[in-house]
Amino acid sequence: RSTHEPIPYDFPPVQTLILDESHHLKNPHSKQSQAIFQIAKQTPRVYELTATPIKKTVDDLFMQLRILDPHTFTSYWGFVNTFATTYNNGFTTTIGKAKNTVALKTILARYILARNYDDPDVARTLPPTISSVIRVPLSPTERTTYDRVRKSYHFANNMPATAASQIINELRRLARTSQKLEALVSLLE
C-alpha cells in the first residue's frame, strides 16, 4: 500500500479495478466516491464503464476523471470554471451549460473509448434494431395535468440547463402511466 489515506474497509490489493456504472461516482464529496478514489490511487490499472458519463451537467465528469487521473484533475472548481457556465441563484452557485467543448472533447479523447451502432465492429455483433412507435393516450385528467405543466413554463434561451431538465423530468414523470406498462407487457408478449 502507498502512503495515501487508508482505505476505510479491507480491500485486497488488486492490479486492475473496473468500475461499472461510473456515472454514480459524480459527487466528489460522497463516501462512495472518496472510497473508490482511495482504492484507485493504489491500483495500477483503472477502467470505468458507463453509457452516460454525464447525467445532468458537465461537472458530473470531474470525479470520474479524477479517479482515472488524479494528477491532472486536481480542482473541482478549476474544472467547473473551465468547462461550465455557472450562475448564482441567490443561495448557491449552480452549474449551467458546458463551455469550451472543443477543449473538453480533446481532453476526453484521452480517456474515453466510445462505441456505437455505426461502428462496424459493434454492428456485426448486434442484431438489427427493431423500432416501433406505440402511442399510449393519457387519460383526460392526466392530459390536463401534463398540458398545464408544459404550458406553464416558457423555455427561454437563457434558461439554465438544470431548470429545463427538471421540467422535462416532471413531464416524463407525468407521462408514466399504467397504460404505458400495459402497452409494454402487450408488446413483450
Side-chain angles (χ1 to χ4, degrees):
R1 294 195 181 213
S2 68
T3 58
H4 299 293
E5 293 179 39
I7 296 171
Y9 52 88
D10 189 24
F11 193 86
V14 294
Q15 296 301 305
T16 303
L17 179 63
I18 300 172
L19 304 168
D20 194 16
E21 303 295 345
S22 66
H23 57 272
H24 291 297
L25 302 170
K26 66 185 178 182
N27 182 348
H29 305 294
S30 75
K31 289 181 181 181
Q32 177 184 19
S33 294
Q34 287 299 312
I36 292 296
F37 180 67
Q38 293 304 319
I39 294 167
K41 284 196 300 187
Q42 300 174 37
T43 307
R45 290 176 303 279
V46 178
Y47 300 95
E48 295 177 354
L49 307 174
T50 182
T52 53
I54 298 175
K55 295 288 281 182
K56 199 169 184 183
T57 57
V58 72
D59 69 315
D60 290 351
L61 288 171
F62 174 75
M63 193 61 189
Q64 293 173 81
L65 292 169
R66 181 156 170 72
I67 288 168
L68 293 173
D69 188 352
H71 301 294
T72 300
F73 300 97
T74 57
S75 168
Y76 171 81
W77 285 108
F79 182 86
V80 167
N81 290 330
T82 302
F83 297 113
T85 60
T86 59
Y87 66 96
N88 188 309
N89 65 11
F91 300 99
T92 186
T93 300
T94 302
I95 310 302
K97 298 187 299 186
K99 67 180 184 181
N100 298 328
T101 54
V102 172
L104 181 60
K105 287 179 184 178
T106 301
I107 289 170
L108 292 177
R110 291 185 254 158
Y111 301 94
I112 293 180
L113 174 63
R115 294 287 184 253
N116 62 38
Y117 291 104
D118 298 331
D119 184 321
D121 290 333
V122 173
R124 72 177 166 191
T125 62
L126 295 173
T129 302
I130 299 170
S131 179
S132 299
V133 176
I134 299 172
R135 300 207 184 277
V136 179
L138 297 172
S139 72
T141 304
E142 292 165 340
R143 172 51 70 186
T144 300
T145 304
Y146 184 92
D147 288 342
R148 183 179 43 78
V149 170
R150 192 186 74 208
K151 289 175 185 175
S152 67
Y153 292 99
H154 174 68
F155 289 97
N157 287 340
N158 61 355
M159 176 182 278
T162 52
S165 68
Q166 289 170 346
I167 295 164
I168 290 167
N169 285 335
E170 177 63 12
L171 291 172
R172 283 183 183 148
R173 187 190 67 74
L174 290 170
R176 271 188 239 131
T177 65
S178 60
Q179 293 91 335
K180 266 188 165 179
L181 182 57
E182 291 167 12
L184 176 62
V185 168
S186 175
L187 175 66
L188 292 174
E189 289 173 348

